[in-house]
Amino acid sequence: MNTSDFYYDLPEELIAQTPVEPRNHSRMMVLSRETGNTEHKHFFDLPKYLKKGDLLILNDSRVLPARLYGTKEPTGAAIEFLLLEQKGDKTWEIICKPGRKAREGAQFTFGNGKLRATVTEVKEDGNRIVKFECEGNIFSVLEEIGQMPLPPYITAKLENKERYQTVYSKELGSAAAPTAGLHFTPEMLEELKEMGVNIGYVTLHVGLGTFRPVKVDNVLEHKMHSEHYHLPAQTAELIKQTKQNGGRVISVGTTSCRTVESVATFYDEIKEADGYTDIFIYPGYKFKILDGLITNFHLPESTLIMLVSAFYGYDRTMAAYKKAVEEKYRFFSFGDSMMII
């Protein structure tokens, strides 16, 4: 299985630069695992495809305003930091550019002095370990001066930071949004609950490794990045009850999928769990929990399109992507949705 097998040709104009308003007015391609049929709908049609006793698994991770623009001291040279993972009290692993300005011991300031940073280590992969200084809580400072870490394929300015957050985001820690959930509105979630559709939450803090290209020709040689997850006891119990009662467990996003499948793989059961996962799901993987998947349209040759291919089948998935291009669906983070049931 080669990485190039997952390539498709995408016109640049189909890469969504801004989110649709209202959130649930994005388009939705509905794919049947049983028949292979394809329907073209909108996300507000989702309730028609769900029934009482189904369970939606949502990732409640919240995106950190992790992009910082500042200057080097004392030269005033411009620097950009992107926070990846907290390593300790006000200590973070970051990537930065230009990297030559961030040698060990280098000092930087952000937000007119509201946040200061010293590089304490330069890692082999080029990432830096940085110690920050500020008054009070660093997260409050980041909310004030940080920018959303939009993927590089989005070049338009984001006017409202909350549009790169799901309406149910709660646990701060992601370097990128779990974008499949961006289509939900609070009213839609209430409508689903009134229908008898259950909602279960997990947390997986999305790392930037999600977007990094697969650089090996042989898919099996790819090493996944590790991400922190938490599956609460309440959600574990909902999954068990849903399975026992014949309902469907439907993950909203590849992150929710990887969380529940990781726990089922690691423990041979579904239970409360907390840890790190680098699970890599590609064609041939046997799903243990998933009955349905709601996801966006992903980058060519990415691990995410490989996961979708594992669930829906390689040939069907690549055909669906070709159809999405023909039908001019909007792609990637602010793009349209796909539901596979």
Side-chain angles (χ1 to χ4, degrees), residues 280-325:
F280 183 15
I281 297 176
Y282 53 85
Y285 176 85
K286 303 298 182 187
F287 286 87
K288 300 162 183 65
I289 302 298
L290 214 63
D291 300 303
L293 177 65
I294 297 169
T295 188
N296 281 19
F297 292 94
H298 303 294
L299 276 72
E301 301 184 339
S302 64
T303 60
L304 305 180
I305 193 173
M306 293 173 191
L307 184 153
V308 175
S309 298
F311 188 65
Y312 188 53
Y314 170 77
D315 290 334
R316 282 180 168 182
T317 298
M318 300 311 292
Y321 269 70
K322 184 181 179 188
K323 175 59 71 173
V325 171

Side-chain angles (χ1 to χ4, degrees), residues 76-290:
I79 192 78
E80 177 185 338
F81 277 16
L82 188 58
L83 279 59
L84 297 180
E85 184 179 359
Q86 188 172 16
K87 296 294 187 180
D89 181 35
K90 294 181 181 176
T91 300
W92 289 75
E93 181 172 346
I94 64 126
I95 55 178
C96 62
K97 61 181 182 182
R100 66 182 184 278
K101 293 177 181 167
R103 296 186 172 92
E104 191 171 320
Q107 296 183 320
F108 302 91
T109 183
F110 304 90
N112 295 319
K114 291 179 180 174
L115 188 64
R116 297 182 180 276
T118 302
V119 177
T120 60
E121 180 187 344
V122 178
K123 301 187 67 176
E124 285 186 11
D125 60 6
N127 292 357
R128 270 68 171 170
I129 303 298
V130 170
K131 179 71 174 178
F132 287 102
E133 297 175 44
C134 63
E135 287 189 14
N137 188 323
I138 188 173
F139 294 104
S140 299
V141 177
L142 290 173
E143 288 283 0
E144 182 181 351
I145 69 173
Q147 300 294 318
M148 278 298 169
L150 296 179
Y153 49 75
I154 295 177
T155 56
K157 181 176 172 56
L158 182 64
E159 299 297 334
N160 177 5
K161 283 185 184 181
E162 283 301 308
R163 282 305 270 111
Y164 196 57
Q165 306 278 17
T166 63
V167 296
Y168 48 80
S169 65
K170 184 174 67 171
E171 302 294 337
L172 198 62
S174 274
T179 55
L182 294 178
H183 309 281
F184 284 95
T185 65
E187 295 79 12
M188 198 168 178
L189 289 170
E190 283 304 312
E191 177 187 355
L192 292 171
K193 289 176 186 175
E194 289 172 7
M195 285 174 52
V197 175
N198 294 309
I199 308 288
Y201 293 96
V202 298
T203 304
L204 184 138
H205 290 317
V206 187
L208 286 182
T210 297
F211 301 105
R212 284 180 179 153
V214 178
K215 293 182 177 179
V216 292
D217 293 331
N218 185 343
V219 167
L220 305 184
E221 295 174 0
H222 177 67
K223 173 66 176 164
M224 288 287 286
H225 59 289
S226 184
E227 295 169 316
H228 184 259
Y229 74 87
H230 175 62
L231 195 154
Q234 183 179 3
T235 301
E237 190 57 36
L238 277 172
I239 293 171
K240 290 177 185 175
Q241 290 174 4
T242 302
K243 289 291 189 183
Q244 289 169 1
N245 297 335
R248 297 174 298 176
V249 177
I250 300 168
S251 282
V252 176
T254 56
T255 56
S256 299
C257 165
R258 292 179 67 240
T259 301
V260 296
E261 291 293 324
S262 291
V263 173
T265 299
F266 297 161
Y267 300 102
D268 266 341
E269 64 172 324
I270 280 293
K271 65 174 194 174
E272 181 178 13
D274 190 279
Y276 284 83
T277 180
D278 60 358
I279 192 171
F280 183 15
I281 297 176
Y282 53 85
Y285 176 85
K286 303 298 182 187
F287 286 87
K288 300 162 183 65
I289 302 298
L290 214 63

